[in-house]
Amino acid sequence: MLLSKSRRFLVAAGAAVALTATALPAAANDIPPVDTVVTSPNVQHVLNVPKPAPIAATINTDIAFQGNYAYVGNYGGFSIYDISNPKRTKVVSSVVCPGAQMDVSVYGDLLFAAVDSSRNNDSCSSTGQSATIKESWEGVRIFDVSDKANPKYIKSVETNCGSHTLTLVPGKGHDRRRNLYVYVSSYLPAANFPDCAPPHDKISIIKVPLRDPTAAAVAATPVVFPDGGNETQPGLLVPTSGCHDITAYAEKDIAAGACMGDGVLFDIRDRLNPKVTARTTDPNFAFWHSATFTNDARKVVFTDELGGGGAATCNEATGPTRGANAYYDIRRGKLQFRSYFKIPRHQADSENCVAHNGSLIPVKGKDIMVQAWYQGGVSFVDFTDISRPREFGYFERGPASQGGGGIWSAYYYNGYIYAADFHNGLDVLKVNDPLVRGADRVRTDRLNVQTQQSYPDWGWDH
């Protein structure tokens, strides 16, 4: 039986209410009140910035960072935040451009947004339209964000089955200055979808000429599963028909694919021709959702989106391994399973809770991660001992007054954690723990979590 860690309640005004500091079995009276913020003692809730009015009615999704700005996707568009002073994070602008999920990545003056809902055209004034209609559009939108106050929509690229997520992959060598590649993950084909017919089992690769991004176009559609993916395993959310998300570690020429019923490793030395080098399945997994490499790329963490994000899976009935992260060593190019981890804090049966998007926290000699769990909040995990990952801090709210909700993505960037909440906007957190000592001295100029890059050694103590 899982035990719930003691909780410290922080009300909106910032006052603390003392609770008994003993571990008790998770029970109804251990669930925080509706919408109430709860943290472990080593996590500080620095600030909450509500969603801007133009997109307040739709939910927040993924986050990208560059310089002093955070870019937050939203089903209704995206917003740009000034984070030059994290304690005074503020909205610079919002772009209304509906189309799920609007996951975002940024590179120089370009922002890329994924659209996986069929639209009647590619414009920001489009409306939903059935994918059975040939003229429907879904794919990738490209914006010029050089003027943060006035982003401009400059290009759309249609892709087969849309773009559920996307991954930026810089070119190699001299090509790095000329081209950027976008790996587009999509799935769920149907025989009556003209632009998304089975078998799909592939990704789309968009080539973006950096000097002329309006010339961006699909350059390749490599098949990941030529013999079909995992389709018959009992308990799958849906059979494999493509990939949900890909994390590329471009400087090491590798990528990890979370592909519905399969976990895969790619060799991406040839950017337009990625090759599958390892593949695994797990009878415990329902839906391979996302992947994170360690800084040395000797380990990889895969997440399982049990219940598709809409179910209460962080409770005693579901148990400690279903809907968990799975941790793998990478040995001689193959995946070797080591352990599972799931948040040890039971959530109410009304709370949708699932392993979702997170990032590394740069600590030399350790493998530390922060991760979103929808209504399970934000979890801080030490998996240096890959056989025994453990949570050492958390942030969450009590059951959402709207019913469903929670934290979609939580990422560490230059000393702070930024968490995109469905309904509550952008949360800024600070973790104060000996395990992360030195991390705040590591600085990077850009963070797209699906495009991993190694942290510079000069940021660490020697």
Side-chain angles (χ1 to χ4, degrees):
M1 180 176 181
L2 288 175
L3 296 181
S4 173
K5 293 186 177 180
S6 60
R7 305 174 189 250
R8 179 166 62 94
F9 286 71
L10 303 178
V11 298
V17 179
L19 296 181
T20 303
T22 57
L24 299 173
N29 60 4
D30 194 43
I31 302 299
V34 171
D35 293 333
T36 302
V37 168
V38 183
T39 75
S40 56
N42 57 352
V43 175
Q44 177 189 359
H45 188 202
V46 175
L47 183 69
N48 172 263
V49 184
K51 288 184 293 185
I55 54 176
T58 43
I59 68 172
N60 279 340
T61 58
D62 212 0
I63 315 173
F65 304 86
Q66 190 165 249
N68 290 323
Y69 297 93
Y71 302 80
V72 180
N74 180 289
Y75 271 56
F78 68 92
S79 297
I80 302 177
Y81 293 77
D82 181 342
I83 58 171
S84 55
N85 181 346
K87 296 178 181 178
R88 296 183 179 180
T89 294
K90 58 185 179 183
V91 177
V92 177
S93 61
S94 287
V95 172
V96 176
C97 199
Q101 302 178 139
M102 285 296 286
D103 283 4
V104 295
S105 289
V106 64
Y107 194 91
D109 290 334
L110 302 175
L111 179 140
F112 300 82
V115 180
D116 192 29
S117 62
S118 187
R119 317 294 297 175
N120 67 333
N121 59 59
D122 65 353
S123 74
C124 286
S125 59
S126 65
T127 58
Q129 178 171 283
S130 173
T132 61
I133 300 172
K134 173 64 178 173
E135 291 74 24
S136 296
W137 179 90
E138 52 188 327
V140 174
R141 291 170 173 154
I142 306 175
F143 296 82
D144 182 330
V145 292
S146 53
D147 181 351
K148 304 296 183 289
N150 295 286
K152 296 179 180 178
Y153 183 13
I154 62 170
K155 176 69 174 179
S156 71
V157 181
E158 187 172 14
T159 57
N160 293 139
C161 299
S163 175
H164 193 74
T165 61
L166 55 80
T167 304
L168 305 187
V169 185
K172 288 174 59 69
H174 295 301
D175 189 46
R176 186 183 182 93
R177 294 192 294 270
R178 295 193 293 264
N179 294 299
L180 179 69
Y181 301 88
V182 185
Y183 287 13
V184 175
S185 295
S186 58
Y187 54 94
L188 291 183
N192 60 340
F193 292 171
D195 297 319
C196 183
H200 184 58
D201 288 332
K202 63 185 177 182
I203 64 173
S204 297
I205 302 178
I206 299 171
K207 185 177 181 179
V208 184
L210 292 173
R211 293 182 181 179
D212 183 16
T214 60
V218 174
T221 55
V223 176
V224 180
F225 304 106
D227 300 320
N230 182 9
E231 299 178 355
T232 60
Q233 175 185 308
L236 287 180
L237 184 66
V238 286
T240 298
S241 60
C243 290
H244 176 273
D245 205 354
I246 295 171
T247 294
Y249 206 151
E251 66 192 77
K252 297 184 182 293
D253 289 327
I254 60 174
C259 300
M260 307 178 70
D262 298 79
V264 301
L265 294 180
F266 296 95
D267 178 332
I268 60 170
R269 283 176 290 183
D270 182 345
R271 299 296 196 242
L272 288 174
N273 190 27
K275 299 287 189 183
V276 174
T277 58
R279 176 180 165 193
T280 191
T281 60
D282 183 340
N284 187 61
F285 259 43
F287 190 85
W288 295 68
H289 176 272
S290 55
T292 304
F293 289 105
T294 53
N295 191 59
D296 61 9
R298 294 178 180 175
K299 306 173 187 175
V300 64
V301 185
F302 286 102
T303 65
D304 180 12
E305 195 177 41
L306 177 68
T313 66
C314 300
N315 52 21
E316 185 175 7
T318 306
T321 58
R322 294 189 63 238
N325 295 342
Y327 295 79
Y328 289 82
D329 276 326
I330 302 174
R331 297 286 177 87
R332 297 179 181 151
K334 302 303 179 183
L335 293 165
Q336 296 185 357
F337 173 77
R338 289 292 179 255
S339 64
Y340 294 116
F341 166 81
K342 189 174 180 181
I343 57 171
R345 296 167 284 108
H346 283 169
Q347 306 298 301
D349 290 339
S350 63
E351 293 182 276
N352 58 306
C353 180
V354 72
H356 224 245
N357 296 351
S359 74
L360 296 181
I361 298 178
V363 182
K364 188 175 184 180
K366 293 185 173 66
D367 297 314
I368 307 288
M369 190 171 171
V370 59
Q371 184 182 354
W373 286 78
Y374 278 20
Q375 287 202 67
V378 176
S379 178
F380 296 85
V381 178
D382 178 3
F383 63 104
T384 307
D385 180 349
I386 195 171
S387 297
R388 296 182 178 181
R390 67 181 186 89
E391 181 177 80
F392 65 93
Y394 62 86
F395 163 91
E396 66 167 293
R397 289 182 170 88
S401 55
Q402 298 90 342
I407 304 289
W408 181 288
S409 50
Y411 301 143
Y412 179 94
Y413 183 70
N414 292 345
Y416 289 81
I417 294 92
Y418 299 86
D421 187 285
F422 279 43
H423 306 297
N424 292 294
L426 184 65
D427 288 302
V428 183
L429 311 176
K430 184 77 172 175
V431 59
N432 302 292
D433 192 281
L435 279 172
V436 300
R437 186 173 292 123
D440 59 0
R441 287 191 288 276
V442 179
R443 288 290 185 267
T444 184
D445 293 329
R446 182 188 302 123
L447 179 66
N448 298 303
V449 169
Q450 289 81 7
T451 306
Q452 275 192 242
Q453 54 189 8
S454 61
Y455 285 101
D457 285 340
W458 52 259
W460 282 312
D461 287 328
H462 291 280

